[in-house]
Amino acid sequence: MYHCHTCYYMITCQDELFTVLQQISPLPHFTHEYLSSDSLDEALAGQADVILADIRQTQTKETVASLIACKRKTANLILLADKEQAEALTLKNDMNITDIWIMPLSESEFRFRLIRWQTTYKMSKDFWKTQNYLNATINCVPHLIWYKDKEGAHIKVNEAFCKAVNKSMEQIEGRGHYYIWDIDPDEYAKGEFICMESEYEVMEKRETCIFDETVKIGDSMRELKTYKAPLFDLDGSVMGTVGIATDVTQERLYEQMMIKNANTDFLTGLYNRRYVYEHIEEKKDDDITVFCIDLDHFKSINDIYGHHEGDRALVLTAKTLQETVSDGLIARIGGDEFLVLMFGTRTTEEVERTRRTLKERMDAEYAKDEHFQKISASVGAAYARAGQETFDRLVHKADELMYQEKERNR
């Protein structure tokens, strides 16, 4: 996929060696350009990706110093030297020198070395390509990605990870959790913010594992869904782990919000009919009291003052019920109809007393508002021991009693 144009510059008086160089076929993804001169040309050396310099007839120290000074930092420098020069140069172990070929070499030997070097050079470019692919992949995703050794030191991370911990890649490389996440070593030892055991579990199981982990990012706690897998060494042993983490904090908030929206009434914030029927299954072994509530003359509020005031009356009703009922479930099941469920054993007198309290509290609140003085509440109540009545039947009974009271109020 990549393309590498390689400029060869050869310094030699032996034209036959330069001819051999020109005859070497480029490997896939490569094209070649050839430059040559009898002695060092600094301008040509500055253009080259690879310099092959025959230094046998030169002052070794001065020539090599000149070559290093004028070549590009990334250029490969291959010296063609006699045995004595090679021995002197290898003692210095200069990293600016890529290789030293001891001369003289036959044309076939020279071709063999060129092809071997060319293969190695291509491997370095293939490695660059792979590294480039990896970096582009891990840095284009919003998830946190990291590679760690067996001791937990971070070897490589992506940009999202750096952003999360507010540190550069250079600061992170080789460091452990307590530094990277700004956690006190004592807190780190407790494992409160990072699940340390998960790393050991992955290495022990030698397979990908999924974890829910909580980390402290800045001043806030974040929930992460992490996927961790072992990294294997050449001999098959585990040498570390790779991890990918998705910040699901906001997703969890959205999930909770969706659940809340599905189970509550948008206007009043009370539970809705759907939640009541789901919740009642959990309470089937409890005694239950049902209070059905309907507002008398509610339609007149909408007709006279508009739906905005009607909504305000419904919100006031919900607020009054919440303040009155401390241990029950309150729901708006439609329009101006409300439901209150209480669990536990009650006497007939207790049920009636609660029913009257609900009505009196609501009527008193309506009377305080000049727009709501025509409204009153009708409340019907029904009680049953566990297993004696179906919930629907109990609601029907309370509803009938509520309508009887509504008729009396009219």
Side-chain angles (χ1 to χ4, degrees):
M1 183 175 178
Y2 68 91
H3 173 254
C4 182
H5 180 73
T6 308
C7 179
Y8 290 85
Y9 172 44
M10 189 167 186
I11 306 169
T12 183
C13 295
Q14 293 184 259
D15 292 339
E16 62 273 16
L17 293 183
F18 185 63
T19 300
V20 172
L21 172 63
Q22 291 176 302
Q23 292 172 348
I24 300 297
S25 300
L27 295 175
H29 310 301
F30 282 77
T31 54
H32 292 172
E33 177 185 357
Y34 304 99
L35 305 172
S36 70
S37 64
D38 294 340
S39 59
L40 173 61
D41 184 321
E42 293 185 0
L44 296 181
Q47 299 176 42
D49 298 299
V50 188
I51 301 173
L52 295 102
D54 189 343
I55 64 170
R56 285 176 292 174
Q57 304 302 321
T58 67
Q59 296 293 323
T60 306
K61 184 177 180 180
E62 291 78 4
T63 302
V64 173
S66 298
L67 284 166
I68 292 172
C70 64
K71 82 177 187 71
R72 290 188 298 173
K73 186 177 181 180
T74 57
N76 280 221
L77 175 58
I78 301 173
L79 301 178
L80 311 181
D82 59 34
K83 188 173 181 180
E84 290 182 0
Q85 289 174 314
E87 289 178 352
L89 289 168
T90 52
L91 290 174
K92 294 181 179 180
N93 194 26
D94 194 327
M95 297 306 294
N96 289 295
I97 300 173
T98 306
D99 204 354
I100 302 173
W101 298 352
I102 299 176
M103 302 297 286
L105 291 173
S106 66
E107 290 185 9
S108 59
E109 289 173 328
F110 187 63
R111 180 180 295 104
F112 177 78
R113 285 185 175 274
L114 284 171
I115 293 173
R116 288 291 298 271
W117 174 87
Q118 187 184 33
T119 303
T120 302
Y121 189 65
K122 183 179 184 300
M123 287 175 60
S124 70
K125 300 304 178 184
D126 290 345
F127 172 77
W128 169 87
K129 178 192 72 172
T130 303
Q131 189 72 13
N132 193 38
Y133 284 176
L134 174 63
N135 289 336
T137 301
I138 67 176
N139 287 327
C140 75
V141 297
H143 312 299
L144 281 65
I145 300 176
W146 64 90
Y147 300 83
K148 294 192 295 187
D149 63 18
K150 291 173 66 174
E151 286 69 41
H154 291 68
I155 306 304
K156 184 180 182 64
V157 298
N158 69 341
E159 291 176 358
F161 190 101
C162 294
K163 184 178 179 181
V165 300
N166 195 30
K167 289 180 176 64
S168 67
M169 291 187 183
E170 292 74 17
Q171 291 174 310
I172 292 171
E173 184 176 341
R175 303 302 294 267
H177 280 302
Y178 66 89
Y179 166 79
I180 292 172
W181 295 96
D182 294 322
I183 301 172
D184 183 89
D186 292 336
E187 292 180 300
Y188 174 70
K190 296 176 185 176
E192 182 177 354
F193 301 119
I194 295 286
C195 183
M196 298 179 295
E197 292 79 8
S198 63
E199 307 291 339
Y200 301 115
E201 182 177 339
V202 169
M203 290 188 283
E204 183 178 343
K205 289 184 175 180
R206 299 169 64 91
E207 63 183 26
T208 300
C209 301
I210 304 173
F211 305 95
D212 290 310
E213 298 182 334
T214 302
V215 299
K216 188 177 183 181
I217 300 180
D219 295 327
S220 63
M221 301 300 292
R222 312 294 293 179
E223 294 184 54
L224 301 181
K225 175 74 73 174
T226 61
Y227 300 79
K228 298 182 180 182
L231 293 172
F232 296 102
D233 208 337
L234 294 173
D235 62 0
S237 63
V238 176
M239 64 178 183
T241 58
V242 56
I244 301 176
T246 302
D247 188 341
V248 296
T249 309
Q250 195 61 46
E251 293 178 23
R252 294 283 167 81
L253 292 175
Y254 286 146
E255 181 182 341
Q256 293 169 10
M257 187 183 302
M258 290 175 65
I259 293 173
K260 180 180 178 182
N261 290 340
N263 291 327
T264 58
D265 171 56
F266 177 76
L267 176 64
T268 63
L270 298 177
Y271 290 116
N272 57 20
R273 181 189 296 270
R274 176 179 179 275
Y275 178 82
V276 169
Y277 276 87
E278 286 185 355
H279 183 73
I280 202 66
E281 284 297 313
E282 302 172 7
K283 296 290 186 177
K284 59 185 178 182
D285 296 327
D286 294 351
D287 296 354
I288 182 171
T289 308
V290 174
F291 299 92
C292 287
I293 303 164
D294 189 86
L295 304 189
D296 304 326
H297 311 297
F298 174 73
K299 185 175 181 299
S300 64
I301 302 300
N302 288 328
D303 294 342
I304 298 171
Y305 302 111
H307 288 281
H308 175 74
E309 286 297 277
D311 289 347
R312 195 164 67 83
L314 295 174
V315 171
L316 175 61
T317 303
K319 180 174 180 293
T320 305
L321 289 173
Q322 288 172 320
E323 292 174 348
T324 306
V325 179
S326 59
D327 59 347
L329 187 153
I330 309 169
R332 180 188 175 203
I333 57 175
D336 59 336
E337 299 177 24
F338 295 82
L339 202 65
V340 175
L341 308 182
M342 293 184 177
F343 304 97
T345 304
R346 283 177 171 77
T347 64
T348 302
E349 291 76 15
E350 289 173 331
V351 171
E352 177 60 19
R353 186 162 55 249
T354 302
R355 188 194 71 81
R356 289 188 178 184
T357 299
L358 290 172
K359 175 175 173 55
E360 290 169 359
R361 292 278 181 86
M362 286 186 287
D363 288 349
E365 290 299 320
Y366 302 142
K368 295 176 183 178
D369 193 302
E370 61 179 352
H371 288 178
F372 302 156
Q373 291 177 356
K374 289 186 177 181
I375 303 178
S376 62
S378 292
V379 183
Y383 167 79
R385 300 294 296 272
Q388 287 186 344
E389 292 277 9
T390 64
F391 177 66
D392 285 334
R393 179 60 183 163
L394 201 59
V395 171
H396 181 70
K397 283 184 176 181
D399 200 47
E400 284 186 334
L401 292 171
M402 179 267 293
Y403 274 105
Q404 291 177 17
E405 182 172 77
K406 182 180 285 289
E407 287 297 322
R408 290 195 296 271
N409 291 340
R410 290 175 181 174

